[in-house]
Amino acid sequence: MVRIRVLVVDDHRIFAESLAAALAAEPDVDVSAAGSGPAALRSMERAVAEGRRYDVLLVDADLGGQLPGVRPAVPVPVQEVGEDGLVDGISLVAGVRGAHPHVRVVVLAEKDDPRRAALALQAGASGWVAKDCSLSRLLTVIRGVLREETHLPPALLTGVLKELTAARKHRTESERLVESLTPREREVLRCMVAGLGRKAVAERLFLSPHTVRTHMQNVLGKLGVHSTLAAVALARRAGVGPAELGPTGRIRPEETNSA
């Protein structure tokens, strides 16, 4: 019998342990529980090292805590991003899918939310399930995502499609605005995405602070925004990553030549 290895990730211990116990009653399911995102990643790494990797993660949409060094793989409104650029359980979805692409992730939610469900799908989730669904329904979803199926409550489908369409439209518009920047302005924008201030940008690009200030003002103007945070959010929507620095602190050559 092929066994399915499941990891329940929820910071409400009673819920996590109760769900794990219920799933463990199935003859073909092995299940463990983790109380946070970092704990889940550690558990996954141990499982891989021991040759018993997980197949499916069940992740609480409202998971507390954040994952150092993991950024969402999808654009998230600035007001919902923490100081380190992370967002609740959806950041775990992105982190897991990036580090363990073979693992299927199902998000467990207290309530249906088309916008957050769309973000979860963009981050790599294969399903969105209400926490009050039946055990048989959850098992159907677990087995379904292992067959490459995507599972959403029917009531969410229209809303999620609208959110995904809107996100694609915003990305296209953001890409067009970024393409209007000069190569130097794109260098400056990448430095802004990396969280560098004007002085740090000047040092790394060997420019004067006054010149950097001018470039930053031009970037904001061309992007049609009024703050660095808004510029960074738009850049992320367009797929612009942070500037990578070489050992001397200068921007790597491949960064300065890319769009």
Side-chain angles (χ1 to χ4, degrees):
M1 177 187 298
V2 177
R3 302 188 68 80
I4 303 171
R5 301 206 71 239
V6 177
L7 179 62
V8 178
V9 189
D10 196 301
D11 51 9
H12 292 84
R13 186 169 180 176
I14 293 178
F15 175 83
E17 293 181 353
S18 297
L19 179 56
L23 291 172
E26 294 296 310
D28 63 338
V29 176
D30 289 329
V31 60
S32 301
S36 69
L41 291 179
R42 290 193 296 270
S43 181
M44 294 180 69
E45 290 166 0
R46 286 195 302 270
V48 169
E50 296 169 2
R52 51 180 187 86
R53 68 185 190 182
Y54 289 101
D55 301 301
V56 178
L57 257 66
L58 304 179
V59 178
D60 177 20
D62 299 312
L63 187 68
Q66 298 180 328
L67 310 179
V70 176
R71 290 184 177 274
V74 296
V76 179
V78 172
Q79 66 268 25
E80 297 180 28
V81 178
E83 293 181 358
D84 52 3
L86 302 180
V87 121
D88 55 56
I90 296 175
S91 65
L92 178 60
V93 176
V96 167
R97 292 294 293 157
H100 305 275
H102 65 279
V103 177
R104 297 294 173 260
V105 183
V106 175
V107 177
L108 304 178
E110 291 282 358
K111 60 180 180 179
D112 286 344
D113 185 331
R115 183 186 57 78
R116 296 188 69 210
L119 283 174
L121 292 180
Q122 287 178 290
S126 297
W128 177 281
V129 180
K131 281 189 172 183
D132 61 359
C133 76
S134 67
L135 183 61
S136 62
R137 168 61 183 163
L138 181 57
L139 287 166
T140 296
V141 171
I142 290 173
R143 295 187 171 102
V145 298
L146 289 175
R147 296 192 296 268
E148 306 297 331
E149 298 173 0
T150 299
H151 285 258
L152 285 172
L156 274 184
L157 286 177
T158 300
V160 167
L161 287 175
K162 287 182 179 178
E163 292 289 340
L164 292 175
T165 300
R168 179 56 194 166
K169 179 180 178 181
H170 291 157
R171 180 179 176 87
T172 301
E173 293 174 350
S174 300
E175 290 171 343
R176 177 180 57 79
L177 290 171
V178 169
E179 287 173 359
S180 72
L181 303 179
T182 66
R184 177 63 84 183
E185 289 166 351
R186 286 197 290 271
E187 292 175 10
V188 171
L189 178 59
R190 280 195 165 89
C191 290
M192 294 163 67
V193 173
L196 302 179
R198 188 188 310 164
K199 182 178 179 181
V201 174
E203 292 174 350
R204 284 159 175 77
L205 296 181
F206 294 92
L207 300 172
S208 71
H210 176 75
T211 298
V212 170
R213 179 181 180 183
T214 299
H215 283 312
M216 286 183 166
Q217 290 175 337
N218 289 340
V219 167
L220 297 184
K222 289 184 178 181
L223 297 184
V225 297
H226 302 288
S227 70
T228 296
L229 283 177
V232 169
L234 187 150
R236 287 177 176 168
R237 285 199 298 272
V240 176
E244 294 183 8
L245 306 181
T248 63
R250 294 197 64 176
I251 305 300
R252 291 184 185 277
E254 60 266 27
E255 287 290 321
T256 61
N257 294 327
S258 58

